[in-house]
Amino acid sequence: MNPTPERPELDQLSADLAGLLGRIGLDPAGQRPTRRDRIDIRFAAAAARHPGKVAAQDAEDSATYLELEWLADDIARRLSGRTGPGQAVAVRARRSCMAAGAVVGVLRSGAAVLPLEPGHNPGLQEFLMRDAGAEMVISDGGLLRDEIPVAKAGRFVIAVRPEQAVRRELPQRTAFLALPAGGNPGRALAVEPVTHLDVLSWLDVCLPMLETGPDEVWTYFHSLSLDLGMREIWGPLLSGGRAIVVDRDTASDAREFARVLAEHRVSVLTQLPSAFARLAEATRGTTLPALRHVLLADEPVDPASLAAWKSSAPAPEATLWDVTASPVEL
């Protein structure tokens, strides 16, 4: 499935992508794109620099940067004329190596992303879509009643929903709609707009301070419907790193999650402090020599879990950070 840098057709596709980036004002050979104000533009630049590299890996498959770029471009084309700035598109994506491509495709269309968990109650999903004013859905997890398929892109189905009685106009440059900090994806709370700048400003502070780059392996652990989940996934994908997709069963089993961290030599881990407390207990007697940074955010940090982690020392070289706002070493 995955192309390799030795294949000449990949070189041609990479050249074509570099030409496209040049036409929209980017320098794919540089360290930073000249336009830095959108997640989808930053991802295009990362894909141009690392086309054949694995961008995301789940338990069954993996996807290169170029494969995610292909999917994003396909979805954006199919959404053209159907949605745009000020509107939301629901993305009902399983936790897989291809999920980020669907998100980038919606962003490239100009719309904002409403992330949905496929396994959640249909009534909750309907509430969130009405609250966001979403009239289109991108799904690899099935369709709900009254959702009518109109196109397909890879494993994703594009569907339309019944027209909203009252259309919601989102603030300009909204990237996605998330539950507020501390929210639970299983509860019917109103979604909040998060802009491209909100995400990118956070990354532009964190990444240089952590000295992370293309060699890092990150986890994609949290639901994309949470603010932290949407920030977490762009850490690796906008810096040329690799994201290890953690499925829901593994995320709920701290011992199994610790095994995944060791197996994939994860170097950057993002956690809610409540999840980190369970991991600190589960990693007693475990060694995670590749782990360099643990990023904690969006909840108060429990001193007891910090003490337990430092006492068992599963990753003696790792630095712990509170990154809720600006990074603070713990």
Side-chain angles (χ1 to χ4, degrees):
M1 175 180 177
N2 298 327
T4 63
E6 289 76 21
R7 291 173 57 177
E9 61 268 33
L10 179 60
D11 293 334
Q12 181 59 52
L13 287 167
S14 181
D16 292 344
L17 180 56
L20 170 63
L21 295 176
R23 289 195 298 274
I24 63 175
L26 296 180
D27 174 16
Q31 292 298 310
R32 294 281 186 177
T34 56
R35 289 179 57 192
R36 302 173 55 196
D37 57 344
R38 293 184 58 86
I39 294 168
D40 49 304
I41 288 177
R42 294 254 196 124
F43 180 79
R49 290 194 297 269
H50 311 284
K53 184 178 180 182
V54 171
Q57 179 177 349
D58 59 35
E60 299 177 351
D61 208 347
S62 63
T64 66
Y65 277 87
L66 193 57
E67 286 173 326
L68 293 181
E69 174 66 22
W70 282 337
L71 174 62
D73 197 51
D74 194 9
I75 287 176
R77 286 200 312 268
R78 295 177 188 279
L79 291 176
S80 178
R82 299 178 182 272
T83 189
Q87 297 176 268
V89 173
V91 175
R92 185 184 298 123
R94 294 175 296 168
R95 298 192 192 187
S96 78
C97 62
M98 302 304 294
V103 172
V104 173
V106 172
L107 296 177
R108 189 165 295 171
S109 76
V113 173
L114 170 67
L116 300 174
E117 287 277 352
H120 285 158
N121 182 281
L124 169 64
Q125 295 189 49
E126 292 282 357
F127 169 84
L128 294 172
M129 286 186 282
R130 287 195 303 271
D131 185 50
E135 296 181 2
M136 299 202 70
V137 179
I138 312 290
S139 177
D140 67 350
L143 299 178
L144 302 184
R145 185 186 62 184
D146 297 332
E147 295 177 352
I148 302 171
V150 294
K152 197 170 187 296
R155 64 180 65 170
F156 289 88
V157 173
I158 301 171
V160 295
R161 290 176 35 78
E163 187 173 348
Q164 305 289 322
V166 178
R167 299 193 66 178
R168 177 176 179 181
E169 186 73 15
L170 299 174
Q172 289 296 310
R173 298 197 176 278
T174 299
F176 66 99
L177 297 158
L179 294 174
N184 184 322
R187 294 178 57 199
L189 297 174
V191 291
E192 296 182 345
V194 179
T195 68
H196 287 264
L197 185 60
D198 290 330
V199 177
L200 296 176
S201 295
W202 185 81
L203 289 174
D204 285 344
V205 170
C206 286
L207 296 184
M209 182 171 290
L210 303 178
E211 298 182 336
T212 57
D215 295 331
E216 305 294 349
V217 180
W218 299 59
T219 50
Y220 157 27
F221 178 92
H222 300 88
S223 169
L224 291 181
S225 60
L226 296 176
D227 186 2
L228 181 58
M230 191 60 79
R231 282 183 282 157
E232 172 187 35
I233 195 170
W234 302 121
L237 295 185
L238 300 189
S239 61
R242 176 159 55 101
I244 300 300
V245 182
V246 182
D247 61 46
R248 294 179 67 180
D249 289 342
T250 301
S252 63
D253 184 338
R255 292 191 182 279
E256 178 62 15
F257 180 45
R259 186 195 65 79
V260 169
L261 295 176
E263 176 185 348
H264 293 284
R265 297 187 59 80
V266 169
S267 56
V268 184
L269 169 64
T270 306
Q271 291 276 267
L272 289 167
S274 54
F276 174 72
R278 296 189 292 271
L279 181 64
E281 181 63 30
T283 51
R284 291 183 180 277
T286 301
T287 302
L288 303 172
L291 191 60
R292 297 180 58 233
H293 298 289
V294 179
L295 314 182
L296 305 176
D298 289 0
E299 293 175 349
V301 178
D302 179 12
S305 64
L306 292 180
W309 176 271
K310 293 178 179 179
S311 173
S312 60
E317 301 301 319
T319 303
L320 276 63
W321 303 83
D322 184 343
V323 295
T324 300
S326 296
V328 177
E329 186 174 345
L330 298 171

Short mmCIF file of all heavy atoms in Angstrom, two decimals, residues 254-281:
data_model
loop_
_atom_site.label_atom_id
_atom_site.label_comp_id
_atom_site.label_asym_id
_atom_site.label_seq_id
_atom_site.Cartn_x
_atom_site.Cartn_y
_atom_site.Cartn_z
N ALA A 254 -4.34 0.65 30.56
CA ALA A 254 -3.05 1.31 30.75
C ALA A 254 -1.87 0.36 30.55
O ALA A 254 -0.83 0.76 30.01
CB ALA A 254 -2.98 1.95 32.14
N ARG A 255 -2.01 -0.89 30.94
CA ARG A 255 -0.90 -1.84 30.76
C ARG A 255 -0.66 -2.13 29.28
O ARG A 255 0.48 -2.21 28.82
CB ARG A 255 -1.17 -3.13 31.53
CG ARG A 255 -1.14 -2.95 33.04
CD ARG A 255 -1.15 -4.27 33.78
NE ARG A 255 -1.15 -4.06 35.21
CZ ARG A 255 -0.06 -3.79 35.94
NH1 ARG A 255 1.12 -3.72 35.33
NH2 ARG A 255 -0.15 -3.59 37.23
N GLU A 256 -1.74 -2.31 28.53
CA GLU A 256 -1.59 -2.53 27.10
C GLU A 256 -1.02 -1.30 26.41
O GLU A 256 -0.20 -1.40 25.49
CB GLU A 256 -2.94 -2.92 26.49
CG GLU A 256 -2.92 -3.14 24.98
CD GLU A 256 -2.03 -4.28 24.53
OE1 GLU A 256 -1.60 -5.10 25.38
OE2 GLU A 256 -1.73 -4.35 23.32
N PHE A 257 -1.45 -0.12 26.87
CA PHE A 257 -0.92 1.12 26.30
C PHE A 257 0.58 1.23 26.56
O PHE A 257 1.35 1.63 25.68
CB PHE A 257 -1.67 2.32 26.88
CG PHE A 257 -1.21 3.64 26.35
CD1 PHE A 257 -0.98 3.85 25.00
CD2 PHE A 257 -1.00 4.71 27.22
CE1 PHE A 257 -0.56 5.07 24.51
CE2 PHE A 257 -0.59 5.94 26.74
CZ PHE A 257 -0.36 6.12 25.39
N ALA A 258 1.01 0.87 27.76
CA ALA A 258 2.44 0.90 28.07
C ALA A 258 3.22 -0.03 27.15
O ALA A 258 4.34 0.28 26.72
CB ALA A 258 2.67 0.51 29.53
N ARG A 259 2.62 -1.19 26.82
CA ARG A 259 3.27 -2.12 25.89
C ARG A 259 3.43 -1.49 24.51
O ARG A 259 4.48 -1.63 23.86
CB ARG A 259 2.45 -3.41 25.79
CG ARG A 259 3.13 -4.50 24.96
CD ARG A 259 2.16 -5.60 24.57
NE ARG A 259 1.11 -5.10 23.69
CZ ARG A 259 1.28 -4.88 22.39
NH1 ARG A 259 2.46 -5.07 21.82
NH2 ARG A 259 0.28 -4.44 21.66
N VAL A 260 2.40 -0.77 24.05
CA VAL A 260 2.46 -0.10 22.75
C VAL A 260 3.55 0.97 22.75
O VAL A 260 4.30 1.12 21.77
CB VAL A 260 1.08 0.51 22.41
CG1 VAL A 260 1.17 1.44 21.20
CG2 VAL A 260 0.06 -0.59 22.13
N LEU A 261 3.66 1.72 23.83
CA LEU A 261 4.70 2.74 23.92
C LEU A 261 6.09 2.13 23.77
O LEU A 261 6.96 2.69 23.08
CB LEU A 261 4.60 3.47 25.26
CG LEU A 261 3.35 4.31 25.53
CD1 LEU A 261 3.39 4.88 26.94
CD2 LEU A 261 3.20 5.42 24.51
N ALA A 262 6.30 0.98 24.40
CA ALA A 262 7.60 0.32 24.32
C ALA A 262 7.83 -0.27 22.94
O ALA A 262 8.92 -0.13 22.35
CB ALA A 262 7.70 -0.76 25.40
N GLU A 263 6.81 -0.94 22.38
CA GLU A 263 6.96 -1.61 21.09
C GLU A 263 7.31 -0.63 19.98
O GLU A 263 8.16 -0.92 19.12
CB GLU A 263 5.67 -2.34 20.75
CG GLU A 263 5.67 -3.01 19.38
CD GLU A 263 4.33 -3.62 19.02
OE1 GLU A 263 3.45 -3.73 19.90
OE2 GLU A 263 4.15 -3.99 17.84
N HIS A 264 6.66 0.53 19.96
CA HIS A 264 6.85 1.50 18.88
C HIS A 264 7.90 2.56 19.21
O HIS A 264 8.09 3.48 18.42
CB HIS A 264 5.52 2.16 18.53
CG HIS A 264 4.53 1.22 17.92
ND1 HIS A 264 4.62 0.80 16.61
CD2 HIS A 264 3.44 0.59 18.44
CE1 HIS A 264 3.62 -0.03 16.34
NE2 HIS A 264 2.90 -0.17 17.42
N ARG A 265 8.53 2.43 20.35
CA ARG A 265 9.57 3.38 20.77
C ARG A 265 9.05 4.82 20.67
O ARG A 265 9.67 5.69 20.05
CB ARG A 265 10.85 3.18 19.95
CG ARG A 265 11.47 1.80 20.14
CD ARG A 265 12.82 1.68 19.46
NE ARG A 265 13.79 2.67 19.96
CZ ARG A 265 14.47 2.56 21.10
NH1 ARG A 265 14.29 1.49 21.87
NH2 ARG A 265 15.32 3.49 21.46
N VAL A 266 7.92 5.04 21.29
CA VAL A 266 7.31 6.37 21.30
C VAL A 266 8.22 7.34 22.05
O VAL A 266 8.72 7.03 23.14
CB VAL A 266 5.91 6.32 21.95
CG1 VAL A 266 5.38 7.73 22.22
CG2 VAL A 266 4.96 5.53 21.07
N SER A 267 8.44 8.50 21.46
CA SER A 267 9.33 9.48 22.08
C SER A 267 8.59 10.69 22.64
O SER A 267 9.13 11.39 23.51
CB SER A 267 10.39 9.95 21.07
OG SER A 267 9.79 10.48 19.90
N VAL A 268 7.37 10.98 22.16
CA VAL A 268 6.58 12.10 22.68
C VAL A 268 5.18 11.58 23.00
O VAL A 268 4.49 11.06 22.12
CB VAL A 268 6.50 13.27 21.68
CG1 VAL A 268 5.74 14.44 22.32
CG2 VAL A 268 7.88 13.72 21.25
N LEU A 269 4.79 11.75 24.25
CA LEU A 269 3.51 11.25 24.73
C LEU A 269 2.67 12.41 25.26
O LEU A 269 3.16 13.20 26.07
CB LEU A 269 3.75 10.23 25.85
CG LEU A 269 2.55 9.77 26.68
CD1 LEU A 269 1.55 9.03 25.82
CD2 LEU A 269 3.03 8.90 27.84
N THR A 270 1.44 12.52 24.78
CA THR A 270 0.51 13.54 25.27
C THR A 270 -0.59 12.86 26.08
O THR A 270 -1.17 11.89 25.61
CB THR A 270 -0.12 14.32 24.10
OG1 THR A 270 0.91 14.83 23.26
CG2 THR A 270 -0.97 15.48 24.61
N GLN A 271 -0.88 13.40 27.27
CA GLN A 271 -1.87 12.75 28.14
C GLN A 271 -2.67 13.78 28.94
O GLN A 271 -2.12 14.81 29.36
CB GLN A 271 -1.17 11.84 29.16
CG GLN A 271 -0.52 10.60 28.57
CD GLN A 271 -1.50 9.46 28.40
OE1 GLN A 271 -1.66 8.62 29.26
NE2 GLN A 271 -2.16 9.43 27.25
N LEU A 272 -3.95 13.47 29.15
CA LEU A 272 -4.68 14.12 30.22
C LEU A 272 -4.08 13.61 31.53
O LEU A 272 -3.74 12.43 31.64
CB LEU A 272 -6.16 13.77 30.17
CG LEU A 272 -6.98 14.39 29.04
CD1 LEU A 272 -8.34 13.70 28.94
CD2 LEU A 272 -7.16 15.89 29.25
N PRO A 273 -3.92 14.47 32.55
CA PRO A 273 -3.33 13.99 33.81
C PRO A 273 -4.06 12.79 34.42
O PRO A 273 -3.41 11.94 35.04
CB PRO A 273 -3.42 15.23 34.70
CG PRO A 273 -3.25 16.36 33.74
CD PRO A 273 -4.03 15.93 32.52
N SER A 274 -5.38 12.69 34.23
CA SER A 274 -6.10 11.53 34.78
C SER A 274 -5.65 10.24 34.10
O SER A 274 -5.50 9.20 34.75
CB SER A 274 -7.61 11.73 34.61
OG SER A 274 -7.95 12.00 33.26
N ALA A 275 -5.42 10.28 32.78
CA ALA A 275 -4.91 9.10 32.07
C ALA A 275 -3.46 8.82 32.45
O ALA A 275 -3.05 7.66 32.58
CB ALA A 275 -5.03 9.30 30.56
N PHE A 276 -2.70 9.88 32.65
CA PHE A 276 -1.29 9.71 33.04
C PHE A 276 -1.18 9.04 34.40
O PHE A 276 -0.27 8.23 34.62
CB PHE A 276 -0.60 11.07 33.06
CG PHE A 276 0.81 11.03 33.58
CD1 PHE A 276 1.83 10.47 32.81
CD2 PHE A 276 1.12 11.53 34.84
CE1 PHE A 276 3.13 10.43 33.29
CE2 PHE A 276 2.41 11.50 35.31
CZ PHE A 276 3.42 10.94 34.54
N ALA A 277 -2.09 9.33 35.32
CA ALA A 277 -2.06 8.70 36.64
C ALA A 277 -2.20 7.19 36.52
O ALA A 277 -1.51 6.42 37.21
CB ALA A 277 -3.16 9.28 37.52
N ARG A 278 -3.08 6.73 35.62
CA ARG A 278 -3.23 5.28 35.41
C ARG A 278 -1.99 4.69 34.75
O ARG A 278 -1.55 3.58 35.08
CB ARG A 278 -4.47 5.01 34.56
CG ARG A 278 -5.78 5.42 35.23
CD ARG A 278 -6.99 4.94 34.45
NE ARG A 278 -7.14 5.63 33.16
CZ ARG A 278 -7.81 6.76 33.00
NH1 ARG A 278 -8.37 7.35 34.05
NH2 ARG A 278 -7.92 7.31 31.81
N LEU A 279 -1.40 5.44 33.82
CA LEU A 279 -0.19 4.97 33.16
C LEU A 279 0.98 4.87 34.13
O LEU A 279 1.77 3.93 34.07
CB LEU A 279 0.15 5.90 32.00
CG LEU A 279 1.38 5.52 31.17
CD1 LEU A 279 1.17 4.19 30.46
CD2 LEU A 279 1.72 6.62 30.17
N ALA A 280 1.09 5.84 35.02
CA ALA A 280 2.19 5.84 35.99
C ALA A 280 2.15 4.58 36.84
O ALA A 280 3.20 4.00 37.17
CB ALA A 280 2.10 7.09 36.88
N GLU A 281 0.95 4.13 37.20
CA GLU A 281 0.81 2.90 37.98
C GLU A 281 1.13 1.68 37.12
O GLU A 281 1.79 0.73 37.56
CB GLU A 281 -0.62 2.80 38.52
CG GLU A 281 -0.88 1.58 39.37
CD GLU A 281 -0.04 1.52 40.64
OE1 GLU A 281 0.30 2.61 41.17
OE2 GLU A 281 0.27 0.40 41.10
#
